[in-house]
Amino acid sequence: MPQATEKSGRLVCLGLNYRTTPVEVREKVAFPRPSVPAALREVAALPGFDESVVLSTCNRVELYAVHHLDDCAQAHATLRDYLVRRFDLATGQAEALVTYGLDSAEAARHLFRVVSGLDSMVLGETEIFGQVKDAYKAALETGVTGRALNKLFQHAFSTGKKVRNQTSIQRGSTSVGSVAVDLAEKIHDLAECRVMLVGAGEMSRTCAQSLLSRGAKSIIVSNRNYDRAVELAAEMRGSAIKFDAWEASMHEVDVIISSTSAPHFVIHPEQIRQVMRKRRWEPLLIIDIAVPRDVDPRVNEIEGVYLYDIDALQAIADEGRRERQRQLAACEQIIEQQLEKFGLAASRE
Amino acid sequence: MPVSTMPSAQFLLVLSTLAFLAGVAPALAALRRGRWRRGRGVQLAAMLAGFALQTASIYLRGQQVGQCPMKSLPDILVFVAWSIALLYFLVGSTFRVSLLGMFTAPLLVVMHGLAFSFPGGFRPYPVKGQIIALVELHAALALVAYAAFALACVTGVMYLLQERLLKKHLIGGLFYELPPIQGLARAIQRMVMLGVVLLSASLGISFKLEGVAAGPKLAIAWGVWALYTLISIVIWRHTLSPRQTAWLAALGFVIPFISLWLVT
């Protein structure tokens, strides 16, 4: 069991992420969840070290620790050697292992940025907050955290919340799938939302999965190749219908995602007018992912129908990314203020 | 009238107006910055403060005139504004409270402003004859019904905005804050129905008040009731699209709003 951190203990972070290291190497040094408590104890028991937190996600592996070594470079080397030994990396693999080592204020700043989603592949994503919380909780339960890491992580969580609450870093959609979800949510109650896939392309599948993961009620798949429709429907716990039957079912769904390979429009204004009469003005979202387009753009002129083609979705996602980039400076400013407030910026030198 | 010599009921009303105004400004600024959340707490606090001051003002005004303060146009406007604020808090959980507040607060400011625009509008008036509880209830129910129609109007505006953003692919700050259009359409329906039920109850009471509640006032109230009953039927039978219904709810409020002048 590590001893309580002394006042002179120094914070260190050694890590690798999607920017520094390719997935072939990252997957070799990832810590599966059951192995984390053992890893935490091993890091804390390294000579000169006591506290530790291990963060292992699909995009990053980071070791946070407190050490009493004179030389920070030595601390980085010790942690790096630990990773090489722990995962039994061959010489070539060890050489390909590109890591970053951060100390004191830099390590704290890095953690604050990670928790706030600023270091994520999708800027501002929120999942990382929960992942860091889980990593810290595991360390706390294993008994390898002390005063230094406890305070650091509490400060990091409060900073992460502040960044999310005071900026719009997490607002807006950054992918076509999440744009589809946002649109559906602003038209319908997702829990009551029925989705139809016309055509079984990869992009339409991604959109449908995004909708299902956010609580869409049911899914119907229709494809020229019926077997493919059945396969996709089974994967998404939905139902499949023959390709010549999708038109008759259109009025029963709230979102239509179309991605056929037809060289001409397959959904026309007259069809949708009839559908809307049957729907008694219930709104209908149509997402046309096909190129060439499946849906006649005049469909958007029909009352209660909201048509988005791939360019419209892409433009919204691009704007979402730009908006998050614009928020970056404000987020960094909050992080600097928090580092100052918690006395972590001063320990930089 | 200088604020220092103003009776306390009116002074509280001025403060209430300022509180509602304070609720609009930070929300608008936050919206312009695209950081809606920053204005949320201020918005709610301002609405709560405005409502508390408004309630206290109506109470003091009631003490001043010795009856329910609903006998002059300024008093009626204030009472309807109070009912709107009350309903806003009751239905706030259906929407994002602060956002409905952003749309409701300007309406309350306008109504307070109109009430103050009548010279000598808040003069005390004598109690004419005996105060009959049923008459007071009849009037109060009618005014709360008008408040429900006002909120249907506000919700209608929100629907039309969100619908336009969706149609024109204007996916930005306001889009993410406005509720889903389906929810807004249902809220319009509920507000109109609530107003019709309350106004029906008010008019039902009038049958028990032979000779006391009659004449042009009652005729206008029946006219408003007929208009909103028609809107309810149109909504219920899906005769019009939700967008057309939203326009009806938004513009329809002009009639009860103007009728407040006619009945006084």
Side-chain angles (χ1 to χ4, degrees):
Chain A
M1 192 72 152
Q3 296 192 346
T5 308
E6 288 174 28
K7 211 174 175 183
S8 56
R10 297 175 79 168
L11 174 67
V12 63
C13 165
L14 184 104
L16 51 104
N17 63 23
Y18 65 96
R19 283 198 208 97
T20 62
T21 314
V23 67
E24 306 84 75
V25 182
R26 285 206 313 274
E27 66 194 6
K28 283 202 166 56
V29 294
F31 290 90
R33 192 177 283 248
S35 72
V36 168
L40 284 163
R41 277 190 285 268
E42 286 160 10
V43 173
L46 289 169
F49 283 76
D50 36 36
E51 300 177 46
S52 73
V53 171
V54 173
L55 173 65
S56 181
T57 73
C58 52
N59 278 331
R60 70 183 65 244
V61 173
E62 289 178 347
L63 307 177
Y64 291 88
V66 172
H67 68 92
H68 300 275
L69 303 170
D70 295 333
D71 187 3
C72 290
Q74 193 190 340
H76 300 165
T78 306
L79 289 175
R80 197 174 186 287
D81 288 347
Y82 165 73
L83 283 180
V84 172
R85 262 198 338 273
R86 175 75 167 69
F87 293 101
D88 202 15
L89 299 182
T91 312
Q93 289 171 327
E95 280 167 4
L97 187 69
V98 181
T99 56
Y100 42 83
L102 303 162
D103 301 295
S104 307
E106 284 307 325
R109 181 176 289 107
H110 176 73
L111 177 63
F112 285 17
R113 293 186 85 253
V114 167
V115 170
S116 306
L118 305 190
D119 199 53
S120 297
M121 194 182 265
V122 176
L123 184 63
E125 59 99 2
T126 51
E127 199 184 351
I128 188 68
F129 190 90
Q131 289 169 328
V132 177
K133 270 205 144 174
D134 289 345
Y136 171 64
K137 192 175 165 215
L140 199 64
E141 285 170 359
T142 312
V144 290
T145 59
R147 194 163 162 264
L149 286 188
N150 286 337
K151 275 177 79 174
L152 175 75
F153 276 81
Q154 293 307 334
H155 293 333
F157 297 136
S158 91
T159 302
K161 282 181 196 159
K162 220 176 175 71
V163 165
R164 290 191 208 296
N165 288 337
Q166 294 192 356
T167 70
S168 37
I169 189 71
Q170 64 182 20
R171 192 162 70 180
S173 311
T174 55
S175 68
V176 167
S178 57
V179 171
V181 172
D182 279 352
L183 292 170
E185 273 183 335
K186 290 298 177 187
I187 296 174
H188 303 281
D189 173 4
L190 262 191
E192 295 297 316
C193 198
R194 295 153 297 177
V195 182
M196 180 193 272
L197 284 188
V198 183
E202 194 51 43
M203 187 79 95
S204 60
R205 183 180 143 185
T206 306
C207 286
Q209 268 171 341
S210 300
L211 284 164
L212 281 175
S213 69
R214 292 276 282 272
K217 188 180 174 186
S218 62
I219 195 147
I220 300 170
V221 185
S222 179
N223 193 41
R224 278 185 208 283
N225 179 342
Y226 184 65
D227 290 343
R228 173 76 185 123
V230 171
E231 187 188 315
L232 194 56
E235 193 184 305
M236 291 194 267
R237 293 181 194 163
S239 55
I241 55 170
K242 300 269 187 196
F243 197 68
D244 53 9
W246 67 265
E247 280 185 68
S249 303
M250 261 201 293
H251 68 281
E252 293 168 4
V253 299
D254 306 298
V255 179
I256 297 172
I257 302 172
S258 185
S259 65
T260 75
S261 52
H264 48 73
F265 295 143
V266 294
I267 297 179
H268 301 276
E270 201 38 56
Q271 277 171 300
I272 297 298
R273 277 194 197 96
Q274 283 178 19
V275 165
M276 291 309 281
R277 273 195 284 275
K278 284 184 188 165
R279 288 177 65 76
R280 306 189 78 180
W281 304 110
E282 285 294 309
L284 175 67
L285 171 64
I286 304 178
I287 294 171
D288 182 3
I289 292 172
V291 179
R293 288 175 297 175
D294 280 345
V295 188
D296 187 328
R298 287 176 300 164
V299 160
N300 195 45
E301 291 161 19
I302 299 170
E303 191 141 355
V305 180
Y306 306 95
L307 170 65
Y308 286 77
D309 62 26
I310 186 69
D311 279 3
L313 296 174
Q314 200 61 62
I316 296 165
D318 289 346
E319 179 50 32
R321 280 192 289 271
R322 279 196 294 274
E323 176 56 29
R324 289 186 182 201
Q325 284 294 339
R326 282 194 286 270
Q327 294 295 314
L328 203 50
C331 298
E332 300 281 12
Q333 199 182 347
I334 292 171
I335 288 174
E336 290 308 315
Q337 284 165 356
Q338 293 298 100
L339 285 167
E340 194 78 44
K341 181 180 163 188
F342 299 135
L344 292 163
S347 61
R348 200 171 183 174
E349 277 75 44
Chain B
M1 188 187 292
V3 170
S4 57
T5 60
M6 214 179 260
S8 45
Q10 280 85 286
F11 179 62
L12 289 178
L13 200 60
V14 170
L15 292 181
S16 161
T17 312
L18 292 176
F20 289 137
L21 206 55
V24 184
L28 282 176
L31 208 59
R32 275 175 67 96
R33 281 196 304 268
R35 292 182 209 162
W36 174 260
R37 285 169 187 274
R38 189 167 280 184
R40 193 169 283 180
V42 180
Q43 169 79 59
L44 189 58
M47 287 298 283
L48 277 169
F51 179 65
L53 290 161
Q54 208 182 23
T55 308
S57 164
I58 290 176
Y59 173 77
L60 290 179
R61 178 69 176 153
Q63 299 278 309
Q64 192 184 13
V65 296
Q67 58 191 308
C68 213
M70 292 182 293
K71 299 289 187 295
S72 71
L73 184 56
D75 279 339
I76 287 177
L77 284 170
V78 172
F79 191 83
V80 173
W82 176 81
S83 308
I84 292 170
L86 178 69
L87 285 177
Y88 153 74
F89 285 113
L90 293 180
V91 300
S93 57
T94 312
F95 304 95
R96 289 165 190 232
V97 176
S98 53
L99 190 75
L100 183 62
M102 197 193 92
F103 286 83
T104 308
L107 182 64
L108 301 182
V109 171
V110 167
M111 294 181 87
H112 283 194
L114 280 173
F116 278 114
S117 70
F118 295 97
F122 288 108
R123 268 197 298 263
Y125 36 75
V127 179
K128 286 182 189 167
Q130 195 189 353
I131 294 173
I132 303 166
L134 269 184
V135 174
E136 303 296 313
L137 183 63
H138 155 77
L141 281 174
L143 293 183
V144 178
Y146 279 27
F149 298 144
L151 271 190
C153 161
V154 169
T155 316
V157 171
M158 288 166 76
Y159 179 97
L160 293 169
L161 262 173
Q162 183 71 306
E163 211 265 348
R164 187 182 147 74
L165 295 174
L166 276 163
K167 271 281 183 201
K168 302 282 177 195
H169 300 179
L170 301 170
I171 310 303
L174 188 58
F175 167 82
Y176 289 108
E177 297 303 332
L178 281 165
I181 51 166
Q182 216 175 21
L184 287 169
R186 284 178 191 151
I188 294 171
Q189 191 175 344
R190 280 198 298 269
M191 278 298 146
V192 169
M193 302 288 184
L194 175 67
V196 169
V197 167
L198 290 169
L199 195 54
S200 302
S202 167
L203 292 171
I205 290 170
S206 72
F207 288 116
K208 297 257 179 195
L209 303 167
E210 287 166 20
V212 182
K217 271 188 192 181
L218 204 57
I220 288 168
W222 275 110
V224 171
W225 178 85
L227 170 73
Y228 277 93
T229 303
L230 186 68
I231 296 176
S232 304
I233 292 168
V234 159
I235 293 172
W236 180 60
R237 290 181 58 85
H238 301 277
T239 312
L240 298 177
S241 69
R243 194 171 70 94
Q244 289 163 328
T245 310
W247 272 113
L248 262 185
L251 297 177
F253 185 61
V254 172
I255 306 293
F257 195 68
I258 289 173
S259 77
L260 292 176
W261 267 262
L262 300 177
V263 297
T264 51

